[in-house]
């Protein structure tokens, strides 16, 4: 896929529009190591709602610095799933913007320039330790009951030693010097957080031996250069935030405001995983689940809203933007309730059917589902897919189904396949008898 990094030629106008008039700038920065699921969708949604509620900008940035784990086609899929969900970025790899590129693998020269500043001011250093040595350190630490971490050996190399090793072509990475004191910050959701990162880890790698930055370095550089004002991300990154703030200080930059979102768990209490197909947005799309049903499903698990209507009301995009409140986000982990997704989707189907303007859209969706479910019948022309029939079936079924794919189950094939011989029973009565 080719990315159009900047489509607008008037740079001064773009900067004025995006920077001077917009105070709140947030980002969703997924890694293309798998497809979008409800956990990552929650992060994107909350950033999007926060931006819209504050007349801010929502940026999509692709963090693909771990090239070994990138899944082919994942970037396109993530962007398509976001568009399907109605979460539309203001700046992204496709639309471009004033601070692109928005794909990290296209920003390597930026990282090389910035890391040299840290080396020159003494905040970072070259490390020549081999993987074998690092493995030995881990084994010795575990054997002695200590926390496995790097011993910062190369931090103490002289400039002459470093130059000699670089001149000889010794493989190297670049590490950041952690401060020994406790770093504090105010989390938008969890309040005051204090953590001494040096107790659990040694100096972290910020530029790998292949020249690619690690997440910890790239996200700090990009958030600063993209003028990100607030970072809303998963709770798993909270422990790393003090380390990121240290990097901001090393650059003499002002860090953004951080807020960490609690975990969303399966109904059985297990963690969500990209390898579980039943939580993928793509799966919901194929089954005929509608975007607003998915969004309402997510917010009921994650908090941030009053939810006064419960599972008997589905909020529109406008209502979700107006009602979103960071202070109402639950600090504890919450579980998904799959039955609620079905209830929300049922409500959305009825809501869509109530407006005739949606008929064409719904008819096309059903046609596609039916043709995919009964491909052989499509060839011999025995499928009944005229608009009036489809709308009739939808209205009849709206209180009986929870997703559109229910209409093409084997037991309901008679709804779409024209019988080879005329039925003696009145068709409309037959429909009523089946579900008595």
């Amino acid at each position: 896929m080719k990315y159009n990094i900047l489509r607008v030629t008037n740079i001064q106008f773009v900067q004025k529009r995006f920077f001077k008039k917009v105070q709140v700038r947030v980002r969703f920065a997924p890694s293309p190591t798998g497809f979008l699921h409800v956990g990552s969708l929650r992060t994107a949604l909350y950033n999007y709602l926060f931006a819209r509620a504050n007349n801010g900008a929502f940026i999509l940035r692709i963090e693909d610095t771990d090239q070994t784990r990138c899944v082919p086609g994942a970037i396109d899929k993530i962007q398509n799933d976001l568009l399907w969900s109605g979460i539309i970025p203001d700046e992204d790899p496709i639309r471009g913007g004033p601070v692109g590129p928005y794909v990290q693998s296209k920003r390597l020269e930026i990282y090389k320039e910035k890391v040299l500043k840290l080396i020159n001011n003494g905040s970072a250093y070259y490390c020549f330790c081999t993987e074998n040595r690092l493995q030995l350190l881990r084994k010795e630490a575990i054997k002695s009951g200590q926390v496995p971490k790097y011993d910062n050996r190369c931090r103490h190399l002289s400039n002459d030693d470093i130059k000699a090793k670089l001149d000889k072509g010794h493989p190297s990475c670049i590490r950041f010097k952690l401060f020994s004191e406790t770093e504090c910050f105010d989390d938008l959701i969890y309040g005051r957080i204090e953590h001494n990162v040096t107790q659990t880890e040694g100096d972290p790698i910020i530029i790998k031996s292949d020249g690619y930055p690690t997440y910890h370095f790239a996200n700090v550089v990009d958030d600063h250069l993209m003028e990100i004002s607030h970072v809303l991300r998963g709770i798993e990154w909270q422990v790393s935030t003090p380390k990121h703030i240290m990097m901001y200080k090393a650059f003499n930059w002002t860090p953004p405001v951080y807020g960490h979102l609690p975990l969303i768990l399966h109904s059985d209490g297990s963690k969500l995983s990209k390898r579980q197909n039943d939580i993928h947005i793509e799966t919901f799309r194929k089954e005929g689940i509608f975007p607003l049903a998915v969004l309402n499903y997510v917010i009921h698990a994650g908090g941030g809203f009053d939810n006064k209507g419960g599972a008997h009301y589905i909020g529109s995009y406008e209502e979700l933007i107006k009602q979103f409140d960071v202070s109402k986000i639950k600090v504890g982990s919450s579980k998904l309730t799959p039955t609620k997704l079905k209830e929300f989707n049922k409500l959305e189907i009825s809501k869509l059917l109530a407006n005739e303007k949606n008929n064409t859209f719904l008819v096309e969706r059903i046609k596609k589902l039916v043709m995919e479910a009964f491909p052989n019948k499509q060839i011999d022309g025995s499928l009944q897919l005229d608009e009036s029939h489809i709308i009739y079936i939808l209205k009849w079924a709206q209180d009986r189904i929870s997703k559109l794919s229910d209409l093409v189950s084997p037991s309901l094939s008679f709804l779409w396949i024209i019988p080879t011989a005329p039925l003696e029973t009145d068709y409309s009565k037959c429909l009523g008898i089946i579900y008595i």
Side-chain angles (χ1 to χ4, degrees):
M1 178 177 180
K2 294 183 179 179
Y3 297 105
N4 184 1
I5 301 305
L6 186 60
R7 293 183 178 178
V8 183
T9 56
N10 190 340
I11 304 298
Q12 291 182 343
F13 170 77
V14 173
Q15 289 178 331
K16 181 178 179 181
R17 178 179 181 273
F18 283 99
F19 291 154
K20 293 184 179 179
K21 290 187 178 181
V22 176
Q23 294 181 344
V24 170
R25 286 175 63 83
V26 296
R27 48 75 167 177
F28 174 54
S31 298
T33 55
F35 299 142
L36 201 66
H37 61 67
V38 291
S40 48
L41 181 72
R42 190 270 302 263
T43 301
L45 173 63
Y46 282 18
N47 276 280
Y48 173 79
L49 295 177
F50 187 78
R52 293 292 173 264
N54 292 280
N55 295 317
F58 171 66
I59 293 94
L60 172 65
R61 183 175 73 221
I62 302 297
E63 299 194 339
D64 62 340
T65 56
D66 191 347
Q67 292 285 294
T68 60
R69 296 179 61 221
C70 290
V71 175
I75 295 178
D76 290 345
K77 202 70 188 107
I78 288 171
Q79 293 182 112
N80 289 335
D81 284 343
L82 285 177
L83 292 176
W84 173 84
S85 302
I87 301 174
I88 314 299
D90 298 294
E91 304 166 35
D92 62 21
I94 296 176
R95 293 171 182 78
V99 289
Y102 293 89
V103 178
Q104 285 186 336
S105 59
K106 297 179 180 293
R107 299 172 63 83
L108 298 184
E109 291 303 317
I110 295 174
Y111 306 131
K112 288 179 183 178
E113 175 196 346
K114 296 304 178 186
V115 80
L116 286 177
K117 291 187 177 182
L118 294 186
I119 289 175
N120 292 334
N121 70 19
S123 299
Y125 59 92
Y126 290 97
C127 175
F128 302 92
C129 291
T130 64
E131 185 58 33
N132 285 338
R133 180 176 186 274
L134 297 178
Q135 288 289 356
L136 285 174
L137 282 177
R138 294 189 191 101
K139 290 179 180 178
E140 287 298 321
I142 294 172
K143 186 177 179 180
S144 59
Q146 298 177 345
V147 177
K149 61 179 182 178
Y150 179 56
D151 60 358
N152 302 342
R153 176 183 181 181
C154 289
R155 180 195 276 213
H156 309 292
L157 291 175
S158 67
N159 290 335
D160 290 340
D161 287 337
I162 293 171
K163 186 178 185 304
K165 289 179 181 295
L166 291 175
D167 289 344
K168 291 179 181 178
H170 285 212
S172 65
C173 63
I174 299 176
R175 292 181 182 269
F176 176 73
K177 292 181 181 179
L178 295 176
F179 310 156
S180 59
E181 65 267 18
T182 298
E183 191 66 60
C184 306
F185 70 98
D186 291 316
D187 192 301
L188 275 175
I189 298 165
Y190 286 86
R192 190 71 170 171
I193 302 294
E194 298 181 3
H195 180 56
N196 186 339
V197 69
T198 59
Q199 294 179 351
T200 55
E201 62 179 290
D203 293 339
I205 296 172
I206 54 177
I207 298 291
K208 295 175 286 187
S209 57
D210 62 3
Y212 277 79
T214 60
Y215 166 81
H216 302 292
F217 183 67
N219 98 89
V220 166
V221 171
D222 290 345
D223 284 349
H224 173 74
L225 296 181
M226 294 181 180
E227 298 201 355
I228 301 302
S229 62
H230 296 75
V231 172
L232 298 178
R233 60 186 178 186
I235 186 64
E236 66 271 19
W237 295 112
Q238 190 183 67
V239 70
S240 298
T241 301
K243 177 165 51 184
H244 300 161
I245 293 175
M246 288 181 190
M247 292 184 197
Y248 273 97
K249 289 182 177 179
F251 277 116
N252 198 27
W253 295 341
T254 302
V257 177
Y258 289 96
H260 293 88
L261 305 173
L263 287 175
I264 292 182
L265 306 173
H266 278 291
S267 56
D268 62 2
S270 62
K271 289 185 178 181
L272 304 184
S273 169
K274 290 182 178 180
R275 293 182 292 274
Q276 297 163 325
N277 291 330
D278 61 336
I279 61 168
H280 287 167
I281 306 306
E282 181 182 24
T283 301
F284 297 148
R285 294 176 65 173
K286 288 180 178 178
E287 290 183 343
I289 303 292
F290 288 98
L292 272 176
V294 176
L295 298 189
N296 278 266
Y297 176 51
V298 167
I299 67 169
H300 270 69
F305 302 82
D306 288 328
N307 293 336
K308 292 179 179 178
H312 304 292
Y313 181 79
I314 187 164
S316 65
Y317 289 98
E318 294 78 8
E319 289 171 323
L320 296 184
I321 291 170
K322 185 177 180 180
Q323 295 171 11
F324 179 64
D325 186 346
V326 172
S327 68
K328 287 187 171 67
I329 295 176
K330 306 169 186 176
V331 295
S333 301
S334 50
K335 297 178 182 179
L336 292 169
T337 309
T339 55
K340 281 188 178 179
L341 177 59
K342 294 181 179 181
E343 291 169 5
F344 284 132
N345 203 55
K346 200 170 185 177
L347 287 170
E348 183 64 359
I349 291 173
S350 296
K351 199 172 179 181
L352 290 169
L353 272 172
N355 188 342
E356 291 185 0
K357 292 181 180 179
N358 297 317
N359 283 4
T360 301
F361 160 72
L362 290 170
V363 166
E364 291 305 312
R365 287 291 302 276
I366 294 298
K367 279 184 179 179
K368 183 178 180 182
L369 280 172
V370 173
M371 289 188 290
E372 288 176 351
F374 310 108
N376 295 333
K377 298 299 179 181
Q378 182 184 355
I379 295 173
D380 63 25
S382 61
L383 291 180
Q384 190 171 0
L385 294 175
D386 58 279
E387 181 175 341
S388 60
H389 175 72
I390 291 175
I391 295 299
Y392 175 77
I393 295 299
L394 275 172
K395 289 181 178 179
W396 164 80
Q398 63 181 310
D399 294 326
R400 298 173 167 89
I401 64 171
S402 58
K403 55 185 185 295
L404 296 184
S405 59
D406 291 343
L407 287 173
V408 293
S409 62
S411 62
L412 292 180
S413 60
F414 70 91
L415 294 175
W416 313 109
I417 300 173
I418 301 172
T420 54
L423 293 175
E424 295 181 4
T425 308
D426 181 74
Y427 185 60
S428 61
K429 290 180 181 179
C430 179
L431 293 179
I433 291 171
I434 290 171
Y435 282 88
I436 288 178

